[in-house]
Amino acid sequence: MGSTGTVLRELRGAQKSAKGVSLYSRYVNRPAGRVLAAGAYRAGLTPNQVTLVSAAFTYAALAAVALVEPSWTLGIAVYAALAVGFAFDSADGQLARLTGRGGPDGEWLDHVVDCGKLLLVHAAVLISFYRFGELSSDAWLLLPLGFQLAAVVTFCAGLLREQLGKAAAAAQAATAQASAVPAAPGTPPAPVSRVRAVALLPADYGVFCLVFLLLGAPGAFRAGYAALAVVHTLFLAAFLTKWFRELRALRPG
């Protein structure tokens, strides 16, 4: 087992593409995940165990949001736990690529934890609004439900876009091979856009977690949460349009 410095260097070469990744994930979460992955490697943890550590931090923070009266102290603790959980969420994949121990089971577990996180984070906010919010109107209770809908649909539609795209590409390759038609040369990857990376910041889960720092000021928290809900809904509309067009372009013939 190499030194931590050696492991970190190897992890730098085991990174996913930065395409479609916000600046936060690229320059904050992935580097933090790299350090955690190196520590997990030195400790002998498996990628699936790292995924469960991520779930423990995240779900404990969300339980606190639902059960504990909002305060500045709670906000700092919740944000810290969510940020660490998100970094471990990056670390599991990096560790899997480093060790070659990734597989369908690990990818499945990671997606299950992510799906649960998206459901629970907004459910926790809803419970907190109901128990501690002293809301001017019950209509505020609809906000977490709408935000949850946007988040879950974005997550599921993105996964389907990825899987259906892979299936269509595999079918096209098989058809070309059966017809003895040489496959078209691959298109060189487009350069990573800094403008796109900045534009994606409001949709990044790590940036979303920052709103919990406002738990000590309920009015400010609701305003920030509502603003993010609007932004995520707009991103959902843009993503769905983009993904539908991409999949339609993959139709055979």
Side-chain angles (χ1 to χ4, degrees), residues 43-113:
L45 297 180
T46 68
N48 287 350
Q49 288 171 332
V50 173
T51 300
L52 294 177
V53 172
S54 169
F57 274 98
T58 300
Y59 291 176
L62 299 181
V65 171
L67 301 176
V68 180
E69 185 171 1
S71 66
W72 291 110
T73 301
L74 176 66
I76 293 170
V78 166
Y79 170 71
L82 290 177
V84 171
F86 191 35
F88 271 111
D89 188 29
S90 174
D92 59 4
Q94 297 189 50
L95 181 62
R97 289 188 291 277
L98 174 68
T99 60
R101 297 176 69 179
D105 59 320
E107 186 174 0
W108 175 84
L109 179 63
D110 184 58
H111 289 324
V112 168
V113 170

Side-chain angles (χ1 to χ4, degrees), residues 11-29:
L11 282 165
R12 289 190 186 96
Q15 298 297 301
K16 294 192 294 186
S17 168
K19 183 179 179 182
V21 175
S22 84
L23 288 182
Y24 178 90
S25 285
R26 185 177 179 184
Y27 292 112
V28 178
N29 198 57

Side-chain angles (χ1 to χ4, degrees), residues 152-217:
V152 173
V153 171
T154 300
F155 178 75
C156 294
L159 284 179
L160 282 170
R161 162 64 185 94
E162 180 181 359
Q163 296 303 316
L164 291 172
K166 289 179 180 178
Q172 289 176 350
T175 300
Q177 184 177 15
S179 305
V181 177
T187 304
V192 176
S193 169
R194 182 62 62 89
V195 173
R196 178 179 172 84
V198 172
L200 287 172
L201 276 172
D204 192 293
Y205 176 78
V207 174
F208 162 74
C209 291
L210 287 168
V211 76
F212 289 96
L213 290 172
L214 299 174
L215 278 174

